[in-house]
Amino acid sequence: MLLVAVVVDVLIPPEFTAFPLLAAAPVLAAPVYSLQGTIATGVVTELIGTALSYTKGTVTLTDYSVRFATVVVLTVLAAILNRVMTKDRKQLKDTREVAEVVQRAVLPIPPDRVGSLDVATRYRAAAKEAAIGGDLYAIHPTPDGVRMMIADVRGKGLGAVRAVNRLLGVFYEAAAHIPGLTDVVDRLEELILRINAEEDEEGTESFATAVLIDVPDDGSPLYVINLGHPPPFLAYQGRASPLEPSAPSLPLGLGDLGRTRVPVDRHTLPHGATLVLFTDGLLEARDRHGAFYDPVPSLSRPLPADPGVILDSLLVDLARHTGGRLDDDAALMAVTRLPEPSDGTRQSR
């Protein structure tokens, strides 16, 4: 802009001046440069303004003094603006870092191998928010296999974090001591009701959509309970099939509205197949035309039996669809039952 101002000011007639454009340079530099860069821009602007005054030959001493003082004042204001914006950016960065640390403390990354399954997880926060969400995933070995859960608690912030932390605690305890999947749901339901009773004075009510799955080690059908959550997808041999519930069921915390006993559905997880679970932030992502994201094409491509590769491929396709923006957090978990080695021993990492 300074170069343009010089060229224009030299070429236009003497009665016109590009000084207002030149004087704006320090203010324009404040949001993008450091404090030193902003001040340097003001100094360069002052020097170019002085040179232009001599080039024109029609600027009086009074006009020159006014221009000089204007650039000085604008440079000082630009320096103050630069410090304020730098402080705000640092505070925003610190807030995001704290949110990420808390998120990881509450929602740790599970190991790559749990029981007979290879495991991968990913978490993508909404692009326009630094708040901690209520999306969660969990996986834990049991005496007979592996139990997993993915859920989405209503709300954000500390209230959602507390609910997520308590849900994970109950799930891990139940995974170790309660054999029946429906009994685990009852324990989680009781917890959400207690949370609602504790928060009744605040006028808020929590509920959570969830999917709970038991994967036996012996290769028998897996057992799935879906509580108002997006169904998992089974990716196998270039095809992706949703594991739809046989009957709809209310989310956790809303069971008193009419839910009796939750249905448990049986499905098969073949060796070499990958089960992909996610929260609704994935399905509710939109492109610039408002079209929702569909994970089926990405999951239906030929993919290796590697849950991490599958999730990364899914997220790349999601970013391509949305242009890199999400309206809601998205938690993803994928598990792969690897083929049995020919000698009958299990593969390990």
Side-chain angles (χ1 to χ4, degrees):
M1 294 188 66
L2 291 176
L3 293 175
V4 170
V6 173
V7 173
V8 172
D9 205 60
V10 171
L11 296 179
I12 61 178
E15 61 268 21
F16 297 100
T17 179
F19 176 77
L21 177 64
L22 187 64
V27 179
L28 295 175
V32 294
Y33 289 160
S34 64
L35 177 62
Q36 294 79 1
T38 302
I39 295 174
T41 302
V43 173
V44 172
T45 300
E46 195 71 80
L47 294 175
I48 294 179
T50 301
L52 290 177
S53 298
Y54 282 105
T55 301
K56 285 287 186 179
T58 58
V59 180
T60 64
L61 179 62
T62 301
D63 290 338
Y64 173 76
S65 300
V66 171
R67 292 184 178 187
F68 183 89
T70 300
V71 174
V72 170
V73 171
L74 289 176
T75 301
V76 172
L77 292 176
I80 295 174
L81 177 63
N82 177 273
R83 298 312 302 161
V84 171
M85 296 182 70
T86 300
K87 182 179 179 181
D88 289 343
R89 283 195 292 263
K90 184 178 184 303
Q91 289 179 340
L92 179 59
K93 179 183 177 182
D94 291 344
T95 300
R96 287 174 174 169
E97 289 178 351
V98 170
E100 184 176 353
V101 170
V102 173
Q103 187 82 46
R104 287 299 166 219
V106 175
L107 194 63
I109 299 175
D112 293 339
R113 188 72 180 265
V114 179
S116 61
L117 303 176
D118 271 5
V119 182
T121 58
R122 301 290 186 269
Y123 193 98
R124 289 294 180 268
K128 63 182 180 180
E129 298 186 26
I132 303 172
D135 297 30
L136 64 100
Y137 45 71
I139 185 167
H140 195 274
T142 67
D144 301 320
V146 177
R147 180 168 289 166
M148 67 187 75
M149 174 178 71
I150 192 163
D152 188 356
V153 180
R154 171 182 177 266
K156 289 184 178 292
L158 292 179
V161 171
R162 287 194 294 266
V164 166
N165 192 41
R166 295 173 69 176
L167 276 171
L168 289 173
V170 170
F171 173 80
Y172 287 129
E173 179 184 5
H177 299 98
I178 299 178
L181 201 57
T182 55
D183 295 329
V184 177
V185 172
D186 292 339
R187 292 286 295 274
L188 296 174
E189 180 77 24
E190 292 173 4
L191 172 63
I192 296 293
L193 294 178
R194 285 201 304 272
I195 293 175
N196 287 337
E198 294 167 3
E199 297 180 351
D200 187 53
E201 296 180 357
E202 303 177 7
T204 60
E205 184 178 9
S206 295
F207 63 88
T209 63
V211 169
L212 290 89
I213 300 176
D214 269 350
V215 184
D217 279 337
D218 59 8
S220 61
L222 57 87
Y223 302 92
V224 181
I225 289 180
N226 191 319
L227 303 169
H229 197 82
F233 276 78
L234 184 66
Y236 184 54
Q237 296 181 344
R239 297 184 61 185
S241 306
L243 305 186
E244 297 283 358
S246 58
S249 189
L250 292 170
L252 293 168
L254 301 180
D256 54 353
L257 298 180
R259 186 175 67 216
T260 53
R261 198 68 173 171
V262 294
V264 181
D265 297 307
R266 293 162 54 96
H267 299 279
T268 301
L269 181 61
H271 291 288
T274 299
L275 191 62
V276 182
L277 303 88
F278 44 81
T279 56
D280 59 5
L282 183 79
L283 297 181
E284 292 178 357
R286 299 171 182 256
D287 63 9
R288 60 189 182 90
H289 302 294
F292 289 107
Y293 177 68
D294 182 6
V296 173
S298 177
L299 294 175
S300 298
R301 294 177 296 184
L303 295 168
D306 185 323
V309 172
I310 289 176
L311 290 187
D312 290 338
S313 175
L314 188 63
L315 289 174
V316 168
D317 190 56
L318 174 67
R320 185 183 303 112
H321 179 82
T322 63
R325 291 187 61 87
L326 288 178
D327 295 326
D328 193 11
D329 293 357
L332 303 91
M333 179 167 62
V335 298
T336 299
R337 174 177 276 164
L338 295 180
E340 292 288 352
S342 57
D343 60 0
T345 60
R346 290 191 179 278
Q347 297 180 13
S348 61
R349 291 186 172 184

